[in-house]
Amino acid sequence: MARSPAGTPSHPKGADRFNEDSATTTVRGGQPDIAAGIAAIREVLATLKPKPGVYRMIDAKGDVLYVGKARALRNRVANYTQVDRLPLRLKRMVSQTRGMTIVTTNSEAEALLLEAQLIKRYRPPYNVLLRDDKSFPFILLRADHDFPRISKHRGARRAKGNYYGPFASAGSVNTTINALQKLFLLRSCTDSFFARRDRPCLLYQIKRCSAPCVGRIDQAGYRELVGEAKDFLGGKSGAVQAKLNAQMEDAATSLDFERAAMLRDRLRAATFIQGSQAINAEGVGNADVFALAEKGGHVGVQAFFIRGGQNWGHRAFFPSHTEGLAAEEVFTAFLAQFYEDVPPPRTILVDRPLPEGDLLAEALREAAGGRIELSVPQRGDRRRLMDQARRNAVEALERRLAESGTKARLGRELAEFLELPEVPQRIEVYDNSHIQGSNALGAMIVAGPEGFIKGQYRKWNIKTAQTNDDFGMMREVFGRRFARAQDEDPDRDGGMWPDLVLIDGGKGQMSAARDTLEEMGIEDVPLIAIAKGPGHGREGREVFHFPDGREKMLPVNAPLLFHLQRLRDEVHRFAIGAHRDKRSRAITASPLDEIPGIGPARKRALLLHFGTASKVRAAALEDLQRAPGVSAAVAQVVYDFYHARG
């Protein structure tokens, strides 16, 4: 999302707009004490002025409990000393508070932006949290090449080009890109692949690319296709379809039936894209549509992403830590955090008035650098779209609650079957992956009460274990994983320790993991190994191995068995995917990777100029200096590296 020049405190110019002051030091003693909390807050209160800003409540360990913003810091913070007027939730927070950090801003809008940024960074337990493990995908149409590439993009938007999105899921992006390739015949290959082609690839044969790599279309013709793609993605789909239809009729009139058939297929691709829009958003333009549903203290928010009158997907969100808060307060916090990572459209539609709606719109205008309208639709297409969003929000929340009930029941059954003292809140599952010992790595996935926590997945490159030694690999992975946990979270209150460890393997893997933990003095982490039974799983059943040598099995159709198999299959998928990525990198590794100071851009420039790494090695210093994008200093480094090695 676009930021003003000093948009964050960490920016070099941030000191001109943000003044952060650690007002108190952490005190000893972590037990809740409301008197101590009030005393710490009053100590900060004496230094505050009625200025806008953001405050952080800090506990005895220095962890952030809560992030809040205020138009007048002194007035807002003073409210926390009036304990009798606080709800139970905030009383608990005050009793754990031992310090505060204050950041002053120039306006309340800036404070709202900073509050959302800090909530995303610290994940405080007393704030409404938007749980989202992955950034939203976009379609990127590059602008730094004579024949621009179309591709899926996540993360920071550093590449030069046009970004279209957000899309609700990677699947919706992939489907749209496939149809766009059929419609506009744009290339999706990398620049290096493009430069090496001497004949068209399969995509040309199946009419999903115009093959600019081998001159089947000139730059002007390709530029026209790119312009049509921009018009289509920008909301001018009707004009593009009308143009294609006219061209098809002209080709048919001229008896050029092959060209007419190609244009017909392109029109079908356009129709497919529009037909896949399950929501009628015609006339809405560019807008995000949000509707909130609440039931039994739980909240769900349904979002529709409309761009150019086309629905680019929808997704349901379920903010956490919403107990005891008004729906409007949850909604505002959700939107502020959502647009911390996603660029806002000019129109944001919500299903109810928000008390801080004007402030939120002002903050988003400042962040985006353009006009932002936040409104509640009353009639017409927008109202019908909002009604549909409301229905989807209610249905999504009801499904969520039903799934939560099922998960809670499975959790209780899991604890009973595996003889755990309580339902596990953090489950870690481990597996190894290699091919005859090559490119070996260990993998860990994490699951919680709400499902997989993909942001906490980990993988380890095997360093010490011998080839084909699965047990040694497991010992290495457990040694490295729990040594770090002992070092970084010795008190086991930082969320790094599992309540249950599942191992994809049998008795041998179980023994390796158990012995490793015992050598480290860790004897209270529950371990279970899950392995296929004899005869290909005994008709789908698994054998569960306990550390004391006992074995258990579940009935073939038991829901708990399916749940545990899903956990095992997820770590298997993650481990195999990581292994394939590692193997692919090893296959495509270049001798240029060994040269210090040669990054991807310079390596690409050298390979594009010389063709192969061996030709780079044999090149004279003068030839290296003539390579585009390679400075004299870099050329000297490359030349010295190869000649120093003989």
Side-chain angles (χ1 to χ4, degrees):
M1 181 165 61
R3 291 288 186 197
S4 48
T8 61
S10 58
H11 191 279
K13 295 183 180 180
D16 298 336
R17 298 173 65 192
F18 300 99
N19 178 25
E20 182 165 329
D21 176 34
S22 184
T24 66
T25 57
T26 302
V27 298
R28 295 181 179 178
Q31 296 298 321
D33 186 337
I34 199 162
I38 293 174
I41 294 171
R42 282 178 173 164
E43 183 178 348
V44 179
L45 189 60
T47 68
L48 294 181
K49 297 180 179 179
K51 292 183 176 180
V54 175
Y55 57 92
R56 278 173 269 170
M57 300 292 195
I58 311 296
D59 68 8
K61 293 185 62 180
D63 295 330
V64 178
L65 294 170
Y66 180 78
V67 176
K69 61 117 179 83
R71 180 185 304 168
L73 282 167
R74 181 177 178 83
N75 299 343
R76 182 60 181 271
V77 173
N79 292 336
Y80 292 104
T81 63
Q82 308 296 321
V83 180
D84 294 339
R85 301 180 180 178
L86 297 178
L88 181 60
R89 168 176 159 274
L90 294 184
K91 288 180 181 178
R92 289 198 302 267
M93 182 188 73
V94 170
S95 70
Q96 297 175 32
T97 300
R98 296 297 181 271
M100 293 182 67
T101 300
I102 305 298
V103 183
T104 58
T105 62
N106 288 334
S107 68
E108 190 179 6
E110 288 184 359
L112 179 61
L113 290 175
L114 180 58
E115 177 193 37
Q117 178 188 1
L118 295 177
I119 290 173
K120 297 272 282 190
R121 180 194 303 176
Y122 293 112
R123 315 292 294 173
Y126 288 95
N127 280 101
V128 174
L129 297 181
L130 168 59
R131 180 189 167 190
D132 188 23
D133 295 324
K134 285 190 175 182
S135 59
F136 286 90
F138 285 74
I139 287 178
L140 168 60
L141 189 56
R142 297 287 293 263
D144 53 359
H145 196 280
D146 291 338
F147 297 95
R149 170 194 181 198
I150 190 170
S151 63
K152 179 176 66 178
H153 178 84
R154 284 188 189 270
R157 304 199 296 171
R158 299 189 182 95
K160 184 179 180 181
N162 298 90
Y163 293 83
Y164 301 94
F167 286 80
S169 66
S172 60
V173 171
N174 294 335
T175 301
T176 303
I177 288 179
N178 288 337
L180 289 172
Q181 286 179 289
K182 296 176 184 177
L183 175 55
F184 299 111
L185 308 179
L186 301 180
R187 73 179 183 94
S188 59
C189 58
T190 63
D191 291 349
S192 59
F193 183 86
F194 177 90
R196 294 197 304 267
R197 299 301 300 178
D198 55 10
R199 57 191 177 90
C201 67
L202 180 62
L203 289 179
Y204 175 77
Q205 306 297 334
I206 62 175
K207 296 181 174 58
R208 282 177 50 188
C209 181
S210 53
C213 54
V214 292
R216 297 298 172 92
I217 186 172
D218 60 17
Q219 190 171 345
Y222 194 86
R223 190 183 303 117
E224 183 179 355
L225 293 177
V226 171
E228 291 176 354
K230 290 180 179 178
D231 288 342
F232 189 89
L233 290 169
K236 300 178 182 178
S237 57
V240 173
Q241 287 177 287
K243 180 180 178 181
L244 289 174
N245 189 64
Q247 291 175 347
M248 182 182 67
E249 291 179 355
D250 289 343
T253 302
S254 304
L255 304 182
D256 188 352
F257 297 116
E258 184 176 354
R259 174 171 169 76
M262 182 193 70
L263 291 167
R264 178 203 61 200
D265 293 341
R266 293 179 62 189
L267 273 171
R268 286 178 177 173
T271 304
F272 170 81
I273 294 175
Q274 294 178 327
S276 64
Q277 316 292 332
I279 297 169
N280 181 17
E282 186 177 355
V284 177
N286 294 337
D288 287 345
V289 183
F290 297 96
L292 182 144
E294 53 181 333
K295 183 177 181 180
H298 298 273
V299 173
V301 178
Q302 182 72 46
F304 291 162
F305 306 119
I306 311 300
R307 297 296 183 271
Q310 301 178 32
N311 170 34
W312 282 1
H314 54 92
R315 183 188 292 187
F317 300 87
F318 304 96
S320 59
H321 304 171
T322 61
E323 298 81 2
L325 297 177
E328 291 75 14
E329 184 178 352
V330 174
F331 211 168
T332 302
F334 165 83
L335 291 172
Q337 293 179 50
F338 180 85
Y339 287 115
E340 174 63 24
D341 296 325
V342 177
R346 296 184 63 176
T347 302
I348 301 172
L349 304 178
V350 293
D351 69 337
R352 68 196 67 201
L354 301 179
E356 294 188 319
D358 293 341
L359 175 63
L360 179 61
E362 179 186 350
L364 295 178
R365 279 195 296 270
E366 180 175 325
R371 185 176 68 86
I372 302 293
E373 176 193 0
L374 183 70
S375 63
V376 181
Q378 301 297 325
R379 61 184 66 86
D381 293 336
R382 294 186 174 189
R383 177 58 184 266
R384 285 190 290 273
L385 186 58
M386 182 58 70
D387 291 341
Q388 190 169 2
R390 282 199 186 104
R391 290 193 298 271
N392 278 265
V394 172
E395 292 170 1
L397 182 59
E398 289 177 347
R399 287 194 301 269
R400 176 77 166 193
L401 294 176
E403 291 172 359
S404 297
T406 301
K407 290 176 181 177
R409 184 176 66 255
L410 285 174
R412 293 191 296 269
E413 293 178 1
L414 176 66
E416 181 179 354
F417 175 70
L418 298 181
E419 304 171 14
L420 304 176
E422 55 187 15
V423 176
Q425 300 300 302
R426 179 185 174 95
I427 302 173
E428 295 182 357
V429 193
Y430 291 82
D431 189 20
N432 297 324
S433 184
H434 61 92
I435 296 180
Q436 295 183 346
S438 65
N439 300 308
L441 56 80
M444 174 193 80
I445 65 140
V446 181
E450 302 300 324
F452 295 118
I453 310 174
K454 295 190 176 182
Q456 297 186 25
Y457 286 15
R458 296 292 181 268
K459 55 189 176 184
W460 294 268
N461 289 319
I462 300 299
K463 299 178 179 179
T464 61
Q466 297 181 357
T467 301
N468 285 337
D469 184 3
D470 284 326
F471 306 152
M473 294 177 188
M474 192 63 68
R475 282 192 291 269
E476 179 179 339
V477 167
F478 269 70
R480 291 165 62 181
R481 159 70 180 97
F482 286 94
R484 180 173 182 178
Q486 286 181 320
D487 181 54
E488 297 184 1
D489 189 15
D491 297 330
R492 303 194 183 188
D493 54 5
M496 288 189 64
W497 289 81
D499 301 310
L500 171 65
V501 169
L502 291 177
I503 304 166
D504 183 16
K507 294 180 180 179
Q509 284 83 355
M510 164 58 74
S511 298
R514 179 196 61 208
D515 295 345
T516 300
L517 294 184
E518 288 179 353
E519 291 170 3
M520 301 173 71
I522 302 172
E523 299 180 352
D524 56 349
V525 173
L527 294 175
I528 300 294
I530 176 172
K532 291 285 187 182
H536 301 287
R538 298 182 188 173
E539 300 179 353
R541 301 174 72 181
E542 314 288 346
V543 179
F544 298 90
H545 299 273
F546 285 70
D548 58 7
R550 289 181 299 128
E551 298 180 2
K552 277 189 174 184
M553 298 179 67
L554 283 164
V556 175
N557 295 321
L560 179 58
L561 175 61
F562 299 147
H563 175 62
L564 291 167
Q565 286 175 332
R566 183 166 175 251
L567 294 176
R568 191 269 317 280
D569 292 345
E570 173 68 4
V571 74
H572 196 55
R573 178 202 63 80
F574 179 63
I576 289 177
H579 170 72
R580 286 174 178 166
D581 290 342
K582 183 178 180 181
R583 192 173 72 234
S584 297
R585 288 194 299 270
I587 291 172
T588 59
S590 168
L592 300 182
D593 296 337
E594 302 175 8
I595 305 176
I598 301 298
R602 286 168 175 164
K603 182 178 72 172
R604 188 182 309 112
L606 288 167
L607 288 174
L608 289 175
H609 183 72
F610 290 99
T612 65
S614 61
K615 291 182 179 180
V616 175
R617 179 188 183 104
L621 178 60
E622 294 78 8
D623 294 332
L624 291 169
Q625 292 172 342
R626 283 194 289 270
V630 177
S631 65
V634 171
Q636 189 68 53
V637 169
V638 175
Y639 184 82
D640 292 345
F641 176 81
Y642 281 123
H643 286 73
R645 294 175 55 176

